[in-house]
Amino acid sequence: MTENLPALLVVVPLLCAFVIYGCSWLHKKSCLPLAIIGLGTPLFISIVLLKEVLNNGHISYHLGGWDPPWGIAYELDPLNTLVLVAVAAIAFLNLIATGTEIEANFYDRKGAFYALYLLFVVGLLGIVATGDLFNLYVLLEIASITGYSLIAMGDPARAPLSSLNYVIMGTMGACFYLLGIGYIYIMTGSLNMADVRALLQPLYHSSAIVIGFIFCMTGVMIKMGFFPLHFWLPNAYTYAPSPAASLIAPLMTKVMAYVMIRLMLSVFSSKFVYSSISAGTAIVWLASFDIVIGAIMALSQRDLRRMLSYIIISEIGYIVGGAWLGNITAMSGAILHIINDTLMTFCVYLAVGAISKQAGRVHLNSVSGLFKRMPFTMAVFVAGGLSIVGVPPTCGFFSKWYLISGAIKAGNYGFIGALILSSLINVALFFRIIETAFFEDSNSSTTPGNHTVAITEARIATLVPLLMGAAGLIAMGLFSGIIIRHVIQPGLIGIF
Amino acid sequence: MTMEFQSSIRPLFALLASLCAVPLIIISPKPNIREAISFLSAGVKFTIIASMLPEILMGKQLFFTIIDVIPGAPLQLRVDAFGLLFALVASFLWILTTAYSIGYMRGLNEHAQTRYFCFFALALFATIGVAFSANLLTLYLFYELLSLATYPLVTHHQDPEARTSGRKYLTYILGTSIGLVLPAMIYVYNVTGNLDFTAIGIIAKKVSPPVVAILLSLFIFGFAKAAIMPLHAWLPAAMVAPTPVSALLHAVAVVKVGVFSIARVLLYTFGVKSLAQLNLATPIGFVASFTIITASLIALSQDELKRRLAFSTISQLSYIVLGVSLLSPRGITGGLIHIAMHAFGKITLFFCAGAIFLVTGKKHISEMAGIGHRMPVTMMAFFVGALSVIGLPPCGGFVSKWYMALGSLESHKIIFLVVLLTSSLLNAMYFLPIVYQAFFVEGESVKGHAITRKEAPLWCLFPIVITALASIILFFFPDIFLRLAELALPL
């Protein structure tokens, strides 16, 4: 049983997704409990696996007993198991928090919604766990297609178009990635990551491999909304239904950032990435632009969710920049930031979701008076905001610390400037909202035609995951030393 | 002297005493219980801090590691003489301010008092955290927490004026700490591999002189809570806060955290020796002197009492920086004990300003003619506080200025002696007319009528009398603070 856990991680939610869809015709009430089981199990499994990997080291699981390089292998090391825990935990908490909203808003379509939700998570878990390049593509498409559908279920006026935009860009991204693997497959004849890595060693100067690498990276960067390939992202995340937004926004881009690092370190090597192709400096500069432009664009938004989606674009720049600076400190910071950013984006999106359930679309003005009406939700929102700004002891501070340290080591002062500048812009960004919520009275600012509904604190099922998220922000901050030392750096020491 | 280190959990308890009060204050059902909790936690906090005094006076240092966050820079508390000096002052004055707050907030029937007491406790948690930080990272953490915890206090009235001031407050304080201190700190960490405060400093010989100068200015201006010009404008703006906040936070806790951080970094990160070798302390002295004189001149022209006090504070804070930058034993001693001496004097003045507002509703000095007849106790206390800030005997402020004057002679920098004397003269010029007016000029409204005496409620009056008396006592018995300051000397 225990040795099959890596497979069950993906199989359980996959089966649950189909069962739920069937159940939605027969017995609508059992959908939510089934979904909770379908996501609780992978969370439990991933925690068990993390413990296992930390104690006994790397786990390699061969699906169906077929040995690699022909069969598909799931490779679990401390790093990706940690990402698995993060993905499973966020998906589970988000389901608990938004379950009642899904029940209320998607009555007819809730079977479809839950099934897509679970399949999306299956895709992400698989992407993180797999050790096979083509399997990664398949799972990437599962996650993407379910993501497009979930987004399209939002605001009927705007969501379908936003989703279509995302479909076009996302498909292009996937095609680039597929093309990239095509090149690699032609040159090496293998798709298993470890195998490809060994076969690539003598081929680093082959232009086909360089092109393949560039295609893979371009594909992944489109999927994670990296400047200047980010145009699909703000609309998609703004008009998505809020339970889907607080699932997709924290997870999708971060998992793709993980894939980028996976490709750089496990398929290619630091020697190839940082020495053979001299793209590092250019990409770090691009990341610096991404960070600053994302922050400035966020500042110019008046819709809260749209603002947050530009912050995601800015945060992705942190990770890309950190990954391409080319030293262990910066890479540790980038990896830590994947986890931290997942958590803090989740907190702010979920808080905005809780607000939007009562106040409709969350315009900057509609947060007025909220400190009085929803003190706990706002407290979590502030905590998430402070983490994005990078105030200790929240986790955002520590990833920023490693990123800046890494940039100092690499002598890249432009990147440091971008990080500091974006922190300052984020202060302005969040305190603008905090000011509105603190100083303005909700009665004075209701626009005509907007019914004043008594806004009260979110229900307890939403509040508990919110508060857990906020507690997680501080816990991740305080334990970041342990995570860096025991989870992240052991995997990097041999590489740099 | 050999320094003895001892692990102890008391520093942590000293911090938690006020942090634990926060949830209790939130859930307390009645105002009386809420305020009792505030008192209790203030008392407990002071007791714990005072209990460490004997060990520190014996030359020991207490430390406690909370968690290892970054290699070489753990979250760690350490109580040394300098930290204890500041913590004693801040925690003692918190007890009095709690009493004063009760009288003031109830007297004015202020809204959101639970929030007020809650964030006050949080602010004190952060203040003591700064005082007990063992390294720069821990200090930065508590420094930022303090900035955020005081925001709801500064903007307590929730009106447009509070909003503008709050924005200014955050822009200056957070903008500089993130924009200047954070990169400087990470740079220091990358050069030295740790951020500990040690008596010889950590960056000697590891950084080239121009970089030291850059780092130094990043730290000096980055800790904008010290209100060194040109980064002082937040302090007069922050006077929009309720007076107890101005009194404890903007005369003692927040602003002193600023100068405390600067002194910490100058003495324990850079180190006296390397600053002296590079001759970098003199420019700092000039920056501080500029602030001292300019702020005093501006104070002369302020009619709103709290604003005049704010500019006086800006000027007095730079005394401390100037004292430290003299780099001579007496100069540093004078600078360090000025933290205590100015605290007692200035908090008295703020308490008085609040009491006057509470009783008469007046904020402007021009309206305060004859007020001494109505509120003789308050105005006598004001006189004592003013004397202490000017630096005249028999008040504590004299002691610290005396040491600084000796320090400037000791280090052969006569120019700073001139600055100190000029500023004292200016201080007298902006404080004594208020006292004169209060006692010897008859106010319009009281002409021809029998003057009714009406003092502030006892909750307010009692702290005023205590801090005024303490200012006098500190002139005769400054020994504890002097001893602590001498122990703190990193020479």
Side-chain angles (χ1 to χ4, degrees):
Chain A
M1 188 65 193
T2 7
E3 62 269 23
N4 285 327
L5 281 180
L8 290 175
L9 184 74
V10 179
V11 170
V12 171
L14 183 69
L15 287 179
C16 277
F18 294 117
V19 174
I20 287 172
Y21 194 62
C23 266
S24 65
W25 280 303
L26 306 170
H27 191 250
K28 274 197 183 338
K29 273 191 183 157
S30 56
C31 287
L32 182 59
L34 273 172
I36 291 176
I37 294 170
L39 290 176
T41 317
L43 176 59
F44 177 74
I45 294 176
S46 60
I47 292 172
V48 172
L49 285 173
L50 180 63
K51 223 178 132 196
E52 187 75 20
V53 167
L54 284 179
N55 289 336
N56 303 332
H58 179 258
I59 296 176
S60 183
Y61 179 81
H62 303 160
L63 283 182
W66 294 88
D67 286 334
W70 296 280
I72 293 168
Y74 277 14
E75 307 286 346
L76 297 174
D77 54 21
L79 167 59
N80 70 357
T81 320
L82 184 67
V83 179
L84 281 180
V85 173
V87 170
I90 298 291
F92 181 73
L93 285 179
N94 185 55
L95 181 71
I96 302 288
T98 58
T100 45
E101 198 187 345
I102 300 171
E103 293 284 304
N105 292 356
F106 296 98
Y107 184 75
D108 297 337
R109 298 174 294 165
K110 73 178 181 186
F113 191 92
Y114 285 127
L116 289 168
Y117 190 120
L118 263 69
L119 284 174
F120 178 75
V121 179
V122 167
L124 294 185
L125 291 172
I127 291 173
V128 177
T130 191
D132 186 278
L133 285 169
F134 188 75
N135 189 234
L136 195 152
Y137 168 75
V138 174
L139 292 159
L140 179 63
E141 282 299 67
I142 292 177
S144 301
I145 292 168
T146 49
Y148 308 143
S149 327
L150 284 171
I151 288 168
M153 288 168 95
D155 177 4
R158 311 288 295 275
L161 189 63
S162 315
S163 178
L164 180 66
N165 199 352
Y166 183 17
V167 169
I168 295 170
M169 288 300 286
T171 310
M172 275 160 57
C175 288
F176 269 113
Y177 175 76
L178 189 60
L179 263 174
I181 328 181
Y183 276 89
I184 294 170
Y185 183 67
I186 291 167
M187 296 302 290
T188 62
S190 177
L191 288 168
N192 179 281
M193 290 185 189
D195 197 30
V196 168
R197 183 188 166 89
L199 292 170
L200 276 178
Q201 304 280 0
L203 298 172
Y204 283 156
H205 294 288
S206 141
S207 51
I209 290 303
V210 173
I211 297 286
F213 180 72
I214 292 173
F215 275 153
C216 282
M217 282 296 135
T218 314
V220 172
M221 281 176 181
I222 292 177
K223 288 271 187 189
M224 61 185 172
F226 182 62
F227 175 85
L229 306 167
H230 64 278
F231 293 101
W232 57 270
L233 192 147
N235 276 337
Y237 288 0
T238 307
Y239 301 114
S242 56
S246 49
L247 173 75
I248 301 174
L251 293 181
M252 189 66 195
T253 49
K254 255 60 77 183
V255 167
M256 292 321 292
Y258 160 81
V259 171
M260 177 186 75
I261 292 176
R262 189 56 150 188
L263 290 176
M264 286 166 68
L265 300 184
S266 299
V267 178
F268 294 86
S269 65
S270 56
K271 189 178 148 228
F272 174 78
V273 172
Y274 301 120
S275 314
S276 298
I277 54 168
S278 45
T281 323
I283 292 180
V284 174
W285 274 107
L286 209 54
S288 310
F289 277 116
D290 172 275
I291 291 169
V292 174
I293 289 173
I296 292 173
M297 288 300 289
L299 198 57
S300 67
Q301 304 304 321
R302 298 193 66 80
D303 181 299
L304 242 59
R305 214 182 272 156
R306 215 175 160 74
M307 184 198 98
L308 293 179
S309 56
Y310 278 105
I311 292 181
I312 292 183
I313 294 173
S314 174
E315 299 284 321
I316 280 296
Y318 286 34
I319 301 171
V320 176
W324 282 88
L325 276 170
N327 59 53
I328 187 165
T329 315
M331 184 56 97
S332 309
I335 292 170
L336 187 63
H337 202 64
I338 291 180
I339 310 285
N340 291 348
D341 195 41
T342 309
L343 196 55
M344 58 210 199
T345 319
F346 172 67
C347 283
V348 288
Y349 262 91
L350 191 58
V352 169
I355 296 165
S356 75
K357 199 158 85 178
Q358 307 205 351
R361 284 257 320 270
V362 187
H363 197 256
L364 193 53
N365 293 336
S366 56
V367 298
S368 46
L370 274 188
F371 271 110
K372 215 169 234 161
R373 291 161 188 279
M374 307 179 81
F376 291 106
T377 309
M378 283 309 286
V380 175
F381 182 79
V382 171
L386 293 180
S387 183
I388 290 174
V389 170
V391 176
T394 55
C395 55
F397 173 79
F398 294 98
S399 35
K400 202 165 279 181
W401 178 283
Y402 286 101
L403 289 170
I404 295 180
S405 285
I408 290 176
K409 280 197 181 119
N412 194 317
Y413 290 92
F415 189 60
I416 300 173
L419 287 174
I420 300 284
L421 187 61
S422 85
S423 303
L424 293 174
I425 296 176
N426 287 339
V427 172
L429 214 56
F430 281 99
F431 272 93
R432 191 173 58 167
I433 299 165
I434 291 170
E435 267 187 5
T436 317
F438 186 63
F439 289 100
E440 284 173 20
D441 215 7
S442 53
N443 298 329
S444 59
S445 67
T446 35
T447 45
N450 189 355
H451 305 289
T452 31
V453 203
I455 297 174
T456 50
E457 187 51 271
R459 64 179 77 230
I460 192 89
T462 312
L463 218 49
V464 171
L466 269 172
L467 292 173
M468 285 173 77
L473 290 175
I474 294 173
M476 280 294 297
L478 292 179
F479 295 112
S480 65
I482 294 167
I483 294 169
I484 287 276
R485 241 173 305 133
H486 295 290
V487 182
I488 295 179
Q489 289 197 335
L492 296 178
I493 282 167
I495 293 173
F496 286 95
Chain B
M1 184 174 54
T2 52
M3 200 60 85
E4 201 182 320
F5 292 95
Q6 185 184 327
S7 178
S8 165
I9 200 162
R10 269 178 295 161
L12 184 69
F13 284 150
L15 261 71
L16 292 181
S18 47
L19 185 66
C20 293
V22 173
L24 293 177
I25 289 173
I26 294 173
I27 58 166
S28 57
K30 283 186 194 151
N32 284 340
I33 298 176
R34 174 184 73 202
E35 281 140 26
I37 293 169
S38 287
F39 254 122
L40 193 68
S41 79
V44 170
K45 197 175 186 86
F46 177 69
T47 315
I48 297 174
I49 291 173
S51 79
M52 294 186 263
L53 187 60
E55 276 136 304
I56 302 300
L57 285 178
M58 279 190 294
K60 281 185 190 166
Q61 292 196 354
L62 305 177
F63 71 91
F64 181 81
T65 309
I66 301 171
I67 194 163
D68 232 348
V69 276
I70 288 169
L75 286 187
Q76 194 177 39
L77 302 176
R78 197 181 71 203
V79 186
D80 65 351
F82 184 26
L84 192 72
L85 187 158
F86 179 42
L88 272 178
V89 174
S91 62
F92 177 69
L93 291 175
W94 187 32
I95 304 178
L96 297 176
T97 310
T98 308
Y100 186 83
S101 295
I102 294 170
Y104 186 88
M105 301 299 276
R106 288 190 177 182
L108 288 175
N109 209 5
E110 285 279 358
H111 74 295
Q113 292 191 25
T114 303
R115 182 182 78 207
Y116 170 88
F117 281 105
C118 172
F119 280 101
F120 225 117
L122 206 57
L124 260 292
F125 161 70
T127 305
I128 303 304
V130 170
F132 289 168
S133 293
N135 57 43
L136 199 51
L137 177 74
T138 317
L139 185 141
Y140 182 81
L141 183 151
F142 286 112
Y143 184 96
E144 292 288 55
L145 279 184
L146 183 61
S147 314
L148 297 166
T150 46
Y151 177 74
L153 295 171
V154 171
T155 58
H156 183 83
H157 295 304
Q158 288 175 273
D159 54 12
E161 198 195 348
R163 186 176 185 159
T164 325
S165 302
R167 194 178 290 180
K168 200 173 216 172
Y169 184 69
L170 281 180
T171 313
Y172 276 81
I173 304 273
L174 276 186
T176 50
S177 67
I178 294 175
L180 307 178
V181 174
L182 181 65
M185 172 170 68
I186 299 180
Y187 187 84
V188 170
Y189 172 78
N190 273 284
V191 176
T192 62
N194 74 80
L195 289 170
D196 290 339
F197 295 130
T198 62
I200 47 165
I202 51 172
I203 60 173
K205 296 195 181 104
K206 288 183 178 156
V207 187
S208 64
V211 179
V212 174
I214 293 171
L215 287 175
L216 200 58
S217 36
L218 287 178
F219 280 120
I220 298 269
F221 292 108
F223 290 119
K225 282 180 184 150
I228 289 180
M229 285 183 173
L231 296 168
H232 66 286
W234 64 270
L235 186 57
M239 290 300 136
V240 64
T243 305
V245 174
S246 311
L248 184 60
L249 298 182
H250 300 133
V252 185
V254 171
V255 290
K256 296 284 158 59
V257 158
V259 283
F260 180 87
S261 308
I262 289 181
R264 260 288 191 234
V265 169
L266 286 182
L267 299 176
Y268 299 88
T269 301
F270 288 91
V272 172
K273 221 177 205 171
S274 48
L275 286 180
Q277 275 166 1
L278 298 172
N279 204 15
L280 280 169
T282 316
I284 300 171
F286 279 111
V287 171
S289 302
F290 176 78
T291 309
I292 291 173
I293 300 292
T294 317
S296 296
L297 288 172
I298 299 175
L300 277 173
S301 68
Q302 299 297 318
D303 188 36
E304 201 183 318
L305 181 54
K306 275 176 79 180
R307 280 183 71 87
R308 185 174 289 191
L309 294 177
F311 278 103
S312 162
T313 304
I314 295 172
S315 159
Q316 298 287 324
L317 291 171
S318 280
Y319 273 74
I320 300 167
V321 178
L322 176 61
V324 172
S325 77
L326 291 172
L327 297 184
S328 66
R330 287 196 177 123
I332 298 174
T333 307
L336 299 190
I337 59 171
H338 199 57
I339 290 180
M341 301 304 178
H342 173 249
F344 281 94
K346 192 48 76 53
I347 203 170
T348 312
L349 295 172
F350 270 110
F351 280 166
C352 293
I356 295 169
F357 177 67
L358 186 63
V359 173
T360 65
K362 287 172 181 164
K363 288 179 173 178
H364 294 276
I365 295 162
S366 50
E367 303 165 343
M368 289 177 189
I371 195 98
H373 301 288
R374 289 188 65 189
M375 308 176 72
V377 180
T378 307
M379 287 316 288
M380 276 311 290
F382 188 93
F383 181 53
V384 173
L387 285 185
S388 186
V389 175
I390 298 167
L392 292 176
C395 294
F398 173 76
V399 182
S400 48
K401 288 199 183 171
W402 176 256
Y403 269 87
M404 280 189 255
L406 290 179
S408 57
L409 292 174
E410 209 171 45
S411 49
H412 308 293
K413 290 170 184 163
I414 305 299
I415 175 93
F416 294 134
L417 184 64
V418 176
V419 168
L420 288 170
L421 294 178
T422 315
S423 164
S424 287
L425 190 66
L426 290 170
N427 293 348
M429 282 167 67
Y430 61 72
F431 275 136
L432 294 183
I434 305 175
V435 182
Y436 175 79
Q437 232 188 9
F439 285 110
F440 301 112
V441 176
E442 297 221 331
E444 301 261 327
S445 53
V446 292
K447 255 178 206 161
H449 296 278
I451 299 153
T452 47
R453 284 216 179 131
K454 187 169 183 293
E455 290 281 358
L458 271 182
W459 279 115
C460 292
L461 201 60
F462 181 69
I464 294 178
V465 173
I466 298 277
T467 52
L469 285 178
S471 291
I472 297 176
I473 293 170
L474 284 175
F475 173 75
F476 295 102
F477 306 101
D479 313 343
I480 288 184
F481 292 129
L482 271 177
R483 181 89 186 94
L484 284 174
E486 279 159 9
L487 275 174
L489 285 181
L491 297 169

